[in-house]
Amino acid sequence: MNIRHLTLAALGTAALSGLWAVPASAQPTVDYGDADNWLCRPDNPRACSVDLESTIVHADGRLALETYTRQRDPVVDCFYVYPTVSQDSTANSDMEAGPEEMGVIRSQFARMGSVCRQFAPLYRQVTLTALRAGMSGDDSLTPDRGLGYGDVVDAWEYYLEHHNEGRGVVLVGHSQGSGVLSQLITSEIEGTPAQDLILSAMLLGTTVQIPGDDVVGGTFQEMPLCESGDQLGCIITYASFRSTNPPPDSSLFGRNGENSTAACTNPAQLAQGNNNLHAYMSNQASDGFDSTGPASAWSQQDVAVDTPFVSVPGLLSAECINENGFHYLRVTVNADPDDPRTDEISGDVMNADGSINEAWGLHLIDVNVGMGDLLSIIRRQTAAWLSASG
């Protein structure tokens, strides 16, 4: 498998411990009126202008090309906060987009241009360098934990003032990005007029707590979990693990609290009413974030697959499972050794010795496994938004 090392996903520790729930920093603010301080903005879509063609690999080995079309005039917006990817040597990242920031947009957000206008601010996040140092006991790098959050608040406020104009908006984040958005929701959105603009908040690769079997309360006091694909103003969240590698006791993601349950919303169920995931898996060499490249050839037939993404209908399914103190999205690879399609996917977080670190599950491909379903949900929510708003 062509996969990334454990420390690339270390951001989860921070998100789950409330690391981002801190006051904004006193550092100089970023000018979000400058389009260069955004990875994607309608007037400067740079990181979102990438090749997103996919090859559909059917179970019988047949291949079909799926082209990608950006929607010319979408009626809703998506506001995305990316996970910990910065390789900068400092504790907080700078405001220069490196290949890792550009790569995670390609993997997690660019495809949403088919359903919404795209806004993805750069922000001075806690870097991988700082997280690695902290995990090893090195305290020489001390990140400003409010700096990145303050940047996202400023970007959000700029977006509301200069771009929103009453449009519905979907919040999208992964891991550190989900942690930052969770704090944004509780501090800046819930109980304000901005809450009425939210179609949904897709907080992926993190843990949202709810009281028991309730759908509201816990992490968020007003926004409930989504129970249908066309529900508005709700939360979509999950942490994914292989069915063959459930979360061990050391896992952070999906861990239930003492008097609460980790939330899990199955994107396939919300999108289409069944458990078959509509995944878009990467087919390129690693771009600095995701676990890219197939574990083996996508098809045993002698046909090259050279598009940047691959879709594998029927290969992956998912179910929210609450067991052994964890509530998580269990992803099953429906392997059939008698057909020519691959029976494996990559996506595990690896230890330095090459073994799988089961505690992190499929954290690196949380977004990829449900991308098609998330797009379908946004389409359904857009229709509901238009109906409700007249």
Side-chain angles (χ1 to χ4, degrees):
M1 295 184 183
N2 179 15
I3 39 191
R4 303 290 291 172
H5 186 270
L6 166 64
T7 51
L8 205 57
L11 53 104
T13 304
L16 295 179
S17 63
L19 188 63
W20 315 116
V22 292
S25 170
Q27 295 289 329
T29 59
V30 173
D31 176 14
Y32 283 103
D34 184 347
D36 288 339
N37 288 327
W38 298 77
L39 288 162
C40 302
R41 205 172 79 174
D43 56 343
N44 187 18
R46 51 179 180 155
C48 287
S49 297
V50 291
D51 183 4
L52 295 170
E53 282 194 338
S54 300
T55 297
I56 303 172
V57 183
H58 294 281
D60 61 5
R62 290 181 299 111
L63 306 182
L65 180 66
E66 179 183 291
T67 59
Y68 169 79
T69 302
R70 178 184 298 277
Q71 191 172 154
R72 295 186 61 183
D73 190 23
V75 297
V76 300
D77 297 340
C78 291
F79 186 94
Y80 168 74
V81 184
Y82 52 90
T84 308
V85 293
S86 176
Q87 301 277 1
D88 292 350
S89 61
T90 50
N92 288 83
S93 65
D94 58 27
M95 290 294 291
E96 297 294 326
E100 60 269 35
E101 286 91 355
M102 302 294 281
V104 76
I105 291 285
R106 182 194 74 88
S107 178
Q108 294 190 345
F109 186 58
R111 192 172 297 277
M112 291 187 176
S114 64
V115 293
C116 55
R117 290 197 312 173
Q118 293 168 290
F119 294 84
L122 280 162
Y123 69 107
R124 291 169 289 185
Q125 67 171 210
V126 177
T127 63
L128 286 169
T129 307
L131 289 175
R132 288 169 178 149
M135 291 178 67
S136 66
D138 178 1
D139 60 0
S140 62
L141 285 178
T142 303
D144 183 340
R145 304 199 184 281
L147 189 58
Y149 172 69
D151 288 344
V152 173
V153 171
D154 290 343
W156 172 250
E157 291 179 347
Y158 183 88
Y159 159 75
L160 288 178
E161 181 178 355
H162 296 278
H163 291 280
N164 179 262
E165 298 180 336
R167 297 164 63 94
V169 57
V170 178
L171 302 175
V172 184
H174 182 249
S175 216
Q176 181 178 164
S178 292
V180 170
L181 282 177
S182 294
Q183 177 66 9
L184 184 77
I185 292 168
T186 58
S187 299
E188 308 290 337
I189 294 177
E190 282 193 318
T192 75
Q195 184 176 342
D196 294 334
L197 302 173
I198 305 301
L199 274 68
S200 62
M202 298 180 172
L203 308 176
L204 313 176
T206 192
T207 301
V208 170
Q209 295 290 340
I210 54 174
D213 295 328
D214 292 344
V215 296
V216 67
T219 301
F220 305 110
Q221 297 304 303
E222 298 191 22
M223 293 181 63
L225 301 181
C226 292
E227 297 183 275
S228 68
D230 52 8
Q231 183 178 345
L232 298 175
C234 54
I235 305 293
I236 296 170
T237 186
Y238 59 83
S240 58
F241 288 81
R242 287 184 188 268
S243 59
T244 53
N245 294 325
D249 290 342
S250 58
S251 291
L252 295 172
F253 299 108
R255 179 182 290 277
N256 295 332
E258 288 187 11
N259 299 300
S260 62
T261 303
C264 178
T265 51
N266 185 343
Q269 280 289 340
L270 292 175
Q272 52 189 319
N274 60 53
N275 291 336
N276 294 320
L277 290 167
H278 185 178
Y280 283 93
M281 309 300 290
S282 181
N283 189 44
Q284 293 185 342
S286 180
D287 54 20
F289 171 76
D290 61 340
S291 163
T292 55
S296 58
W298 290 106
S299 175
Q300 297 174 24
Q301 297 176 348
D302 188 21
V303 180
V305 176
D306 54 10
T307 56
F309 287 90
V310 170
S311 178
V312 283
L315 183 63
L316 302 179
S317 59
E319 185 178 3
C320 285
I321 298 295
N322 194 350
E323 62 182 8
N324 301 324
F326 293 89
H327 193 199
Y328 63 97
L329 189 71
R330 184 172 68 187
V331 176
T332 299
V333 181
N334 301 307
D336 184 350
D338 294 328
D339 68 36
R341 187 168 63 180
T342 181
D343 292 333
E344 298 289 341
I345 62 166
S346 60
D348 305 285
V349 173
M350 306 301 288
N351 295 316
D353 62 4
S355 63
I356 294 175
N357 190 300
E358 297 179 357
W360 294 94
L362 294 175
H363 187 72
L364 298 178
I365 57 171
D366 282 322
V367 183
N368 299 81
V369 297
M371 175 59 76
D373 299 304
L374 298 176
L375 297 177
S376 295
I377 293 166
I378 296 174
R379 293 186 187 99
R380 292 185 62 183
Q381 290 177 331
T382 299
W385 168 265
L386 290 174
S387 176
S389 63

